[in-house]
Amino acid sequence: MTVNAHPLREKYTRSHVARTTTCPGCGIGTVSQAILRAIDGLQLDIDDFVFVSGIGCSAWIPSPFYNADTLHTTHGRPVAFATGVKLGLPHKHVMVVSGDGDLTAIGGNHLIHAARRNVNLTVVLVNNGIYGMTGGQTAPTTPPGIKTITSPYGAMEPHFDVSAMVSAAGASYVARWTTHHPRQMSRAIRKGIEKEGFALIEAVSQCPVQFGRASKIGGAVEMLKYFKENSVRRDKALGMEPEQLAGKIVVGEFADRRLAELTAQWARLRSDMAEGS
Ligand SMILES: Cc1ncc(C[n+]2csc(CCOP(=O)(O)OP(=O)(O)O)c2C)c(N)n1
Ligand code: SF4
Ligand SMILES: [Mg+2]
């Protein structure tokens, strides 16, 4: 049987590795396509990118599939590795792609400090609200009341509002979209790549196997319906009361500003020192 390959897949992925490691219906494919569409839309050469990921299902998006330099690092550490790569190779586009557990639990400090330092990175944080790969444990992003394998009576703790947190930490660009909004997500990734500064795109994504099943929301279709019905645009949300926003997913841009960027500051210092000033 002949399978027609998607042009983005042909152009940007390695043909000799297995096509996917994800479960059927997982949102990871949608996020991956949003990333590749952004790169394609900007007409950038994927060879000018370094992709850095941690550990988890989402961390498999670039590595080993993208036909580019990829660094598959330890759990929680991709932002630290990426900071080193960017400072050493400032001419490269450095993109981190990893999960909510990786980037906000064990790697939470790296994330907020990279945002504070305003390192010129694009971080695509796949937020499926759970530790998908390790069996569906509660994450710092699991919404209150949601049942998981480690919260059978419903998650008790408040969850991180990742986009608000990274925006408050000082990032230059922050946006949140769900897999129900693939075009907006891709446009946000595009803006993040173009932004000179720390950019975070929170990609709310379905994990039907762990999150959907334990929470009883259902499979991929039901989860996408859930995202559609519960998403509220940020401009509308700003006029709503906290009680009205309970259980809602606020989507849109949280930050888009021009701030001093770390790599450029280092470059300036080096050139000043070379000139003896
Ligand atoms: C130091 C360390 N602690 C724990 C783990 C086990 N571990 C691997 S992935 C993961 C969580 C993954 O969750 P997330 O980042 O949200 O990715 P997802 O699978 O949901 O995409 C954990 C706890 C590990 N590999 N290394
Ligand atoms: S466990 Fe969840 S996040 Fe991981 S591949 Fe399967 S559906 Fe996707
Ligand atoms: Mg996760």
Side-chain angles (χ1 to χ4, degrees):
M1 187 179 75
T2 316
V3 178
N4 287 329
H6 191 285
L8 289 175
R9 199 169 73 179
E10 285 299 289
K11 195 167 169 188
Y12 296 117
T13 66
R14 295 194 167 108
S15 53
H16 61 280
V17 291
R19 285 306 186 189
T20 180
T21 50
T22 57
C23 309
C26 179
I28 280 175
T30 306
V31 180
S32 183
Q33 191 171 145
I35 294 170
L36 294 178
R37 272 190 196 284
I39 294 170
D40 201 57
L42 289 168
Q43 298 187 320
L44 294 172
D45 188 341
I46 202 160
D47 280 340
D48 292 332
F49 278 77
V50 178
F51 295 92
V52 189
S53 56
I55 301 294
C57 299
S58 313
W60 285 88
I61 289 178
S63 161
F65 304 107
Y66 289 3
N67 200 359
D69 288 326
T70 57
L71 199 56
H72 208 142
T73 72
T74 45
H75 190 39
R77 305 293 178 257
V79 171
F81 278 89
T83 301
V85 172
K86 185 67 193 176
L87 288 170
L89 301 170
H91 56 287
K92 291 277 185 184
H93 295 285
V94 181
M95 183 182 285
V96 172
V97 187
S98 223
D100 49 327
D102 190 78
L103 291 171
T104 73
I106 189 170
N109 262 338
H110 293 299
L111 183 72
I112 55 174
H113 289 286
R116 172 183 65 81
R117 293 178 179 128
N118 203 29
V119 196
N120 191 1
L121 304 175
T122 310
V123 178
V124 178
L125 185 154
V126 184
N127 186 356
N128 54 21
I130 206 157
Y131 293 169
M133 198 180 79
T134 43
Q137 297 86 355
T138 310
T141 46
T142 307
I146 290 289
K147 290 182 179 162
T148 71
I149 199 160
T150 52
S151 60
Y153 303 107
M156 216 180 279
E157 304 166 8
H159 67 318
F160 274 149
D161 181 336
V162 180
S163 288
M165 175 173 75
V166 173
S167 179
S172 286
Y173 182 76
V174 179
R176 177 194 289 134
W177 293 102
T178 78
T179 44
H180 180 70
H181 308 91
R183 285 177 196 280
Q184 293 91 329
M185 187 187 290
S186 191
R187 275 199 291 271
I189 296 170
R190 206 168 148 155
K191 272 182 98 167
I193 294 169
E194 285 184 305
K195 189 69 155 177
E196 199 192 325
F198 190 88
L200 176 107
I201 296 84
E202 184 183 348
V204 177
S205 172
Q206 76 274 14
C207 167
V209 169
Q210 306 295 358
F211 191 103
R213 191 163 51 189
S215 67
K216 308 262 192 296
I217 291 174
V221 173
E222 290 78 19
M223 286 208 69
L224 283 167
K225 200 159 165 262
Y226 176 84
F227 291 161
K228 179 183 177 190
E229 288 169 358
N230 289 289
S231 293
V232 179
R233 298 277 175 152
R234 186 152 189 264
D235 44 4
K236 189 172 171 207
L238 288 170
M240 290 168 70
E241 297 300 325
E243 309 80 65
Q244 296 174 294
L245 286 170
K248 300 291 181 202
I249 306 163
V250 179
V251 293
E253 290 184 338
F254 286 68
D256 186 2
R257 53 200 170 198
R258 209 180 151 81
L259 300 164
E261 191 277 321
L262 190 70
T263 324
Q265 284 180 283
W266 275 108
R268 255 194 311 277
L269 180 65
R270 271 197 298 270
S271 112
D272 287 352
M273 287 174 79
E275 286 170 12
S277 59

